[in-house]
Every structure is written in C-alpha cells, then in structure tokens.
Amino acid sequence: MYDILIVEDEMLVTVGIVNSIDWREAGFNAPHTAANGNQAWELMEQIKFDVIMTDIKMPEMDGLDLVRTMRDHNYSAEVIILSSYTDFEYVSEALELQTCSYLHKPAMMPADIVQAVKKAAARREESKRQAQTAHRIERLYLNSARKLKERLLLDLLAGSEVGDAQWQEVPLQCDPAASIVAVVRFRNGDQVLQNSFKGDATLFAYAATNVIDEVFRAESGYESVCKAPDLAVILLSGASEDREGKRSERFTTLSRVLRTYFQLDVEMALQTGPIALRKLSQAAGALLKVLDEREQRVPADRLIVVEGTAEPRWTYRSEEWLDGGWFSDSFPGAAKVEQIYRELERKNATYRQTLELSGMLLGMLLQRAASYPGVLHELYRAEPEMYSRLQALGAAPELKRYVIGLWGTAQTLMQSSHPQEIEKALQYVERNLHDQKLGLESAAALVNVSRAHFSRLFKEHTGETFHQYVTKSRIRRAEHLARTTDLKMYEIAEKVGYPSSKYFSKLYKKRIGKQLSHIRSHKKL
C-alpha cells in the first residue's frame, strides 16, 4: 500500500477528495492532509510519502515552492498538482518540476482523481523497481574481483603508495612495468551523472567501463578504470598490432558510443611512450594538462597523441588534404561548413576523405548541441541513426547535403534554446529572488565561468544584462504575489529581495509607472 499526502488550504476541497474514492481499492492507505506547504513539509520530514497531491495557491508556502523544496532536499515522491488555474505559466512550471499529473479542480471528477493516483502509483512502482535493479547491479559489482582491480588503479591514479601484497592479489592484463596511458575526460560528466544515473557514481563507472571493454576487446592486454564522473583511464600493452590507425579508430568509436548512449562528451589524449604504472598519476596529470591547453580546439571524436617532446597532434588523417586552420576555437556556422566542403571539392578529395571529414563535423555538431538543453534529444529524435545514415550515403555530394541539412536543423533548435550555463543561471535566479545577495558574481561562480565571460554570454542569449533580468524577474514575482496573496507590501518587497519597501516602491513606480498596489485595486474591481 502507498502513502499519500493531500495539501490543500480549502477544507471542503480536501474533504471532497478524501471521500470521493476508495483509497484502499486504488492501492493507498488513508490519506494524510495538510493546509499549506509548511505544514506539509513538517509531515514529510516525519513520514516518507509515495505521492504528494498539492494545490498551487496556498498561504505561507505554495504548492510549487513545496515541490522545489522537495527537489532541493532530494525527497523522492510522485507529485500531482491541483489548481483552479488554467494559465499556461502554472502548467509549464509544474511540468518543469517533473510533476506526475495536473488536475483542474473545477472540472475534475472522482474518476480523474483515481486515474491520477493510479498513474502516480505505477510511476512510483517503476522507480522502486529501477532502484532495486541498480542496487542489485551495485552489489554484484562491489562483490566482484573487478572492484579490487579498480581500487588498485584508482590508488595509482591518485598517486597513493601501493604495497607489494596489493600488486600480487590483483592480476592485471596490461604490463605493470610498461603500459601506454590514455585519458578519456568527460566534459559533462556531472550533468550526465545526475540526469542519466540519478547521482549514482558506481553505476556511472560500471556503465563507462563496460563500454570501454566492448570497444577495446580486440586489444591484447589492456585495463581501464573510471573515476566517475570526471574521467576514465585506459592502459594498453605495447604497440597496436595494426599500428596507430586501428587504435585511433577504437578511440573514435568509444567517443561516439559514449555520446550516443549516455550523452557524454569526451576529450581524449594518449601518451605513446610506455610507463611503469607506479607513475600513472604523473602521466595522467600530464595528459590532462595537454587537454586543458587545447580545450575546445580539437574536433569531437579525435584523440590527441603525445610522442615524447614533440608537439601533441590530432589523430585525424585528413591533415594531408585539409589544413587544420579550417578549424578554430569558434564553432563553424553553416556558411563555414559549406566553405569546407568547397575546399574539399577544390582539392579533389576522395569519397573516403569526405566521409572522414563529415564524421568529424557531425561529432563537432553533436558536441555543440549537447550544451543546449533538449537540443541533442531533438536531433536524435529527428535522425536517430546519424552515423549509420552517413555511412550509407554513397557519394560526396550526398554527404555534403546531409551534413549541411543537419547543421541547419541544429542551429534552428539552438537559436530557440539557451546554453546549459544560461539555463542553470536562469533557474538559479528564479529560486533566489528573495536573496538580497543575488548577483552576477554568485551566478558566474555557480556555472563555473569568469564574471566577464558570464556577463557577455548572458546578454548574448537573453538580450539584457544580468542585473536587468533580475530586476524584471523580481518585479514580475512581486506582481504575482500581489495578485495571488494577501501579503502586505513590505512583506512582498522582502520576498523579492528588497529589505526596504520604500526603495522597492520607488523602483517599481519608476519602471512600471504605477504603484504596485494598483494590481490589488484592479483585482477588487
């Protein structure tokens, strides 16, 4: 049986919902009730509910704030929103908070309530099933010999001393005295950890190393370890039997598989000189430094190779027929992509060379799309088998048309979206409008970019400065509170980050041309 909490400030509505259906038949214990978000949260700290059915407009803490509080505290429960509102703003915000259902109170019938709670119960059951599966996988993983090997390699990666006994109890496939080291860094590992693995670093590492095993199975003598969600290290024994070409292709395949199945964007570097594994920490650190120095300049799916003291180079065979200067730090637009294909035609590039470049361009496009929320998903929904389709095209002009078409689609989607840094900052603003210290500095720190870069990026994608956006958002929130609550004007000012109601009143009148109280005067009419 499931436990449900009904959060509603209108007593008659609460009584009606409680008495409208047979809760036991629906699979629920008798409902608990609360009159506002604060009361609900106090109960939720004591009882682990499976489903929360909450109104939106309530005193003290409204329903959407309650859901935000749940998400901030990782309180796992399905949410059904009850409201008299049909305004898209409320529906949209409820959906963004990943609620299960949205019921319109004036129109809902007992059958609607039954359908909503059964849907919530089914989703709850599926969540529990997934959690149990993840737990079983984790238990098997933790109990395996693989865990001992992982511990050894992670200790070496961290620069810890490893005793002789630890070496003896862990047989390695690679040569401990002479292994080639490669680093695969996950650019968006933190995001994928939360979105795809629900914060479970063990499951993340398990999935990543399984993919590496599948791709490098043909190598004679290799090991891998994942330090989730930051990077993976691959250890190879000696020179590849088919020299650099085949090994490079394996890394390209690895990058594409990780991106296709887990939306992981990676950077890869390999040191050709074998090292003793006791020096793994220094070798991996040196490769990470190489990646830092070339951030954003290497096309997707390409391996950087470090040979002794020579300048690190990309492993793409197109260098002989297309100068690296065609690719700069900036992302090429559709016009630049067309120029690249014209240059190939001018140099009489073969079909194979055009296919190679097309795959590289597609990798760059997907890497860029991944930085915009939802864009990569939409691209894969429109064309789920991009690389297979690319391979199936038999002529260079077809490759050109296909890639440029995808480029145009992606750019259209990206123009209607914000980069993840900006999306994260916008959500941060909405959650912290009450905070007097909300400012450019804290937002830039949140998304881990410099203050100046964040300021430019924010204005580029929103059309206004960060300060202008925060002020407009605070005014909009104040108007919402004036329309939907009975809070006094000084209380509203405090809730939107202005300790002085007099200052806020002057600011509002300067921006809007009227006093905030005009909203309530209009409402009374």
Side-chain angles (χ1 to χ4, degrees):
M1 301 291 281
Y2 298 96
D3 289 308
I4 185 169
L5 173 63
I6 299 171
V7 191
E8 171 60 67
D9 61 329
E10 297 181 53
M11 184 180 67
L12 291 178
V13 175
T14 301
V15 172
I17 293 173
V18 169
N19 295 324
S20 65
I21 70 171
D22 184 341
W23 292 97
R24 181 166 293 277
E25 192 277 332
F28 287 79
N29 293 314
H32 291 72
T33 62
N36 57 56
N38 283 338
Q39 288 183 15
W41 185 244
E42 289 176 5
L43 275 172
M44 290 161 70
E45 288 181 317
Q46 302 170 31
I47 303 171
K48 183 62 178 173
F49 292 101
D50 298 292
V51 179
I52 309 296
M53 182 182 289
T54 180
D55 189 13
I56 289 183
K57 182 185 173 184
M58 294 181 294
E60 298 186 39
M61 181 194 288
D62 69 25
L64 296 179
D65 281 336
L66 174 61
V67 179
R68 292 190 196 95
T69 301
M70 291 170 57
R71 302 303 186 231
D72 289 343
H73 289 79
N74 293 320
Y75 191 101
S76 175
E78 296 300 326
V79 177
I80 300 170
I81 292 292
L82 296 169
S83 183
S84 299
Y85 294 97
T86 54
D87 191 282
F88 176 77
E89 179 180 294
Y90 290 102
V91 179
S92 176
E93 191 165 4
L95 291 174
E96 287 176 0
L97 290 168
Q98 297 181 337
T99 54
C100 177
S101 299
Y102 188 102
L103 293 177
H104 187 213
K105 285 196 290 188
M108 70 182 182
M109 301 295 288
D112 299 321
I113 300 172
V114 171
Q115 182 180 10
V117 298
K118 285 188 173 182
K119 176 184 175 183
R123 284 181 45 150
R124 187 65 174 164
E125 193 63 29
E126 176 62 16
S127 297
K128 289 181 178 179
R129 188 191 65 77
Q130 290 178 355
Q132 289 169 354
T133 301
H135 180 69
R136 283 197 300 272
I137 292 173
E138 181 180 8
R139 189 169 64 249
L140 289 170
Y141 180 61
L142 292 173
N143 291 335
S144 69
R146 185 176 184 176
K147 189 63 181 176
L148 293 173
K149 189 181 295 184
E150 178 190 69
R151 184 70 268 153
L152 170 69
L153 295 177
L154 286 175
D155 284 346
L156 291 168
L157 185 59
S160 303
E161 286 293 328
V162 175
D164 292 339
Q166 193 173 353
W167 282 106
Q168 292 170 5
E169 70 180 2
V170 182
L172 296 173
Q173 300 300 315
C174 64
D175 185 351
S179 288
I180 292 171
V181 179
V183 166
V184 179
R185 181 162 67 182
F186 308 128
R187 293 173 55 84
N188 59 338
D190 286 320
Q191 177 192 345
V192 172
L193 174 64
Q194 298 304 321
N195 294 347
S196 299
F197 296 97
K198 309 302 182 188
D200 190 332
T202 300
L203 201 57
F204 182 114
Y206 186 76
T209 50
N210 271 353
V211 170
I212 293 170
D213 289 347
E214 192 65 33
V215 173
F216 283 86
R217 191 185 304 277
E219 285 275 354
S220 56
Y222 80 95
E223 292 289 356
S224 66
V225 65
C226 178
K227 181 187 173 187
D230 303 321
L231 56 89
V233 171
I234 301 172
L235 305 170
L236 305 163
S237 293
S240 177
E241 68 279 3
D242 45 9
R243 299 185 181 275
E244 182 181 285
K246 204 67 175 177
R247 184 169 280 173
S248 172
E249 287 181 13
R250 290 191 183 114
F251 278 97
T252 297
T253 300
L254 174 64
S255 174
R256 292 173 178 173
V257 171
L258 289 172
R259 183 173 56 250
T260 299
Y261 290 101
F262 302 117
Q263 288 73 57
L264 270 171
D265 295 322
V266 304
E267 301 169 303
M268 305 176 294
L270 177 143
Q271 176 180 309
T272 59
I275 63 146
L277 289 189
R278 291 188 184 278
K279 296 182 178 180
L280 178 59
S281 179
Q282 300 95 306
L287 290 174
L288 289 173
K289 184 178 179 181
V290 169
L291 290 175
D292 288 337
E293 291 170 350
R294 283 153 184 80
E295 186 175 14
Q296 300 289 348
R297 287 185 293 170
V298 179
D301 306 329
R302 295 295 153 183
L303 176 69
I304 295 179
V305 175
V306 181
E307 292 182 294
T309 58
E311 181 68 16
R313 59 183 177 81
W314 308 347
T315 59
Y316 88 86
R317 297 183 293 279
S318 308
E319 289 171 327
E320 298 176 359
W321 43 269
L322 189 65
D323 297 335
W326 280 95
F327 302 98
S328 64
D329 290 342
S330 60
F331 180 72
K336 180 69 172 287
V337 174
E338 288 203 51
Q339 289 178 14
I340 291 172
Y341 276 106
R342 282 200 295 271
E343 179 70 5
L344 292 181
E345 293 166 0
R346 189 182 69 81
K347 291 190 173 185
N348 295 316
T350 66
Y351 164 78
R352 185 68 194 175
Q353 290 168 336
T354 307
L355 177 61
E356 173 81 10
L357 176 100
S358 298
M360 184 169 62
L361 286 172
L362 185 52
M364 292 175 66
L365 177 65
L366 296 177
Q367 183 175 352
R368 179 73 168 196
S371 66
Y372 288 77
V375 170
L376 192 63
H377 174 75
E378 289 298 319
L379 270 180
Y380 273 111
R381 191 171 71 170
E383 186 60 83
E385 301 291 338
M386 295 184 208
Y387 284 105
S388 297
R389 176 81 181 277
L390 201 66
Q391 295 277 355
L393 297 174
E398 293 177 340
L399 293 170
K400 175 182 176 180
R401 282 194 298 271
Y402 182 66
V403 171
I404 290 176
L406 279 176
W407 216 273
T409 301
Q411 287 194 311
T412 299
L413 290 169
M414 288 187 283
Q415 286 167 3
S416 62
S417 179
H418 294 305
Q420 289 174 355
E421 294 89 348
I422 299 304
E423 194 67 29
K424 190 174 182 181
L426 295 177
Q427 294 172 5
Y428 171 71
V429 169
E430 290 303 311
R431 291 196 306 268
N432 292 277
L433 290 174
H434 63 282
D435 189 350
Q436 299 172 36
K437 296 180 182 179
L438 175 62
L440 185 65
E441 196 80 38
S442 59
L446 175 76
V447 299
N448 200 30
V449 298
S450 71
R451 190 175 184 274
H453 177 66
F454 176 75
S455 180
R456 288 193 301 271
L457 191 66
F458 192 90
K459 187 165 186 182
E460 176 187 342
H461 288 279
T462 65
E464 52 194 345
T465 67
F466 184 78
H467 176 71
Q468 289 170 336
Y469 180 83
V470 169
T471 301
K472 284 175 63 176
S473 297
R474 282 174 162 160
I475 287 175
R476 187 168 62 248
R477 176 71 63 80
E479 290 175 337
H480 170 70
L481 291 172
R483 279 195 302 268
T484 61
T485 73
D486 296 322
L487 292 172
K488 295 181 172 57
M489 291 301 160
Y490 76 86
E491 293 176 314
I492 291 177
E494 289 177 353
K495 282 187 174 292
V496 295
Y498 296 100
S500 168
S501 59
K502 186 175 180 181
Y503 173 79
F504 178 62
S505 180
K506 287 182 178 179
L507 172 70
Y508 186 87
K509 187 171 183 181
K510 181 179 179 181
R511 295 295 181 96
I512 307 301
K514 305 175 185 180
Q515 295 289 353
L516 181 60
S517 55
H518 85 278
I519 291 178
R520 283 190 172 156
S521 300
H522 180 72
K523 187 170 70 169
K524 289 176 183 177
L525 294 176

